[in-house]
Amino acid sequence: MSERTSITVDVISDVACPWCFLGMKRLDHAIELASDVDVQVRWRPYQLDPLIPKEGLPRRKYMLDKFGDEARLTAAHERLAMLGEVEGIRFNFDAMEVSANTLDAHRLIRWGGSPKSPAGAQALVVKRLFEMNFEEARDIGARDVLTEAAADAGMDANLVEALLSSHADVESLQNEIAAASQMGVTGVPCFLLEGKYAVMGAQEAEVLADAIKQVAAAKERGELEQTPAN
């Protein structure tokens, strides 16, 4: 391609999902591999468990209830730790005390993508929330942790703190999460390219890069209708 074709990748994910952390790292690598394409990434909300109370739940009991027994949980953590190490992630599952409700985290991610926020703030917020949750074993449902993540991303922490104390964007985010389920999204991460082509799961970087290149080529040939997600 003589000029870089621009495509949008909407990442439907939850910062409580370790596979989404892997997916973020692999997408970063995929964008490097597809360096002839201008990839615009937008982060979209999903909640693995919207029924977790606002204050969160004790993580160990929550995960044991979910997996059924210690052996299955340990095996899942060991597999993720191995995969994470390849991507530079230091999963710290044993230190994690809280399974958080992530609705407020998704509000912060949305505000990070606002034109009023610094360029690149949304990606930085997502990265920090994953790190805080899975590497630093912090409660990403706590407002002080969220405002710290905002400040780390160059956002106005005082404004974010005030917004978190309000109901700003709660209903619209819940509607967007419901819409993702209605679209057929049953697991995350889900990478939606140009609002039309979905790549499900934390695929290898090479798979994502190939999809990006194919969609960009089709767009350059004029084969895609312009129906980007809003």
Side-chain angles (χ1 to χ4, degrees):
M1 289 179 284
S2 58
E3 295 183 4
R4 295 178 81 213
T5 300
S6 177
I7 74 164
T8 299
V9 177
D10 288 286
V11 187
I12 303 170
S13 76
D14 191 0
V15 283
C17 168
W19 291 100
C20 294
F21 195 2
L22 282 169
M24 182 202 76
K25 292 284 192 175
R26 290 173 175 177
L27 177 61
D28 287 345
H29 187 200
I31 291 171
E32 293 175 359
L33 294 174
S35 58
D36 53 346
V37 182
D38 177 22
V39 181
Q40 304 296 319
V41 179
R42 300 184 297 197
W43 292 87
R44 301 294 193 180
Y46 191 86
Q47 284 193 284
L48 292 175
D49 188 352
L51 299 180
I52 292 177
K54 193 171 181 62
E55 65 274 14
L57 290 171
R59 186 177 190 275
R60 180 165 179 77
K61 182 180 185 306
Y62 177 79
M63 296 302 292
L64 283 173
D65 288 346
K66 182 176 179 180
F67 277 82
D69 63 65
E70 184 84 37
R72 288 185 62 206
L73 178 58
T74 298
H77 282 172
E78 288 177 349
R79 182 185 180 206
L80 280 161
M82 180 182 64
L83 294 172
E85 188 175 356
V86 174
E87 305 296 340
I89 298 171
R90 301 178 306 280
F91 282 115
N92 193 13
F93 294 115
D94 289 343
M96 295 174 68
E97 296 182 356
V98 177
S99 287
N101 182 300
T102 55
L103 186 61
D104 280 348
H106 285 302
R107 290 205 287 162
L108 176 58
I109 292 167
R110 172 176 284 192
W111 301 331
S114 164
K116 296 181 180 179
S117 292
Q122 187 178 63
L124 290 173
V125 162
V126 170
K127 180 175 181 288
R128 280 302 291 136
L129 290 173
F130 277 130
E131 291 170 348
M132 286 172 155
N133 190 31
F134 289 111
E135 295 184 329
E136 300 168 22
R138 300 174 70 184
D139 179 5
I140 56 168
R143 287 183 181 172
D144 61 332
V145 174
L146 294 172
T147 54
E148 182 182 331
D152 289 348
M155 298 171 66
D156 184 335
N158 290 328
L159 175 59
V160 166
E161 189 172 10
L163 287 170
L164 287 170
S165 298
S166 73
H167 293 285
D169 288 321
V170 168
E171 185 176 353
S172 60
L173 272 168
Q174 289 172 332
N175 290 339
E176 188 174 349
I177 292 166
S181 296
Q182 290 165 7
M183 282 171 49
V185 177
T186 56
V188 285
C190 171
F191 304 91
L192 191 61
L193 283 65
E194 282 295 291
K196 300 175 79 64
Y197 300 97
V199 179
M200 303 296 296
Q203 300 291 337
E204 295 289 344
E206 291 77 10
V207 174
L208 288 170
D210 185 59
I212 287 168
K213 291 176 182 178
Q214 288 191 44
V215 171
K219 184 176 180 179
E220 189 179 52
R221 293 192 300 267
E223 296 174 1
L224 300 184
E225 295 180 11
Q226 300 303 304
T227 55
N230 294 320

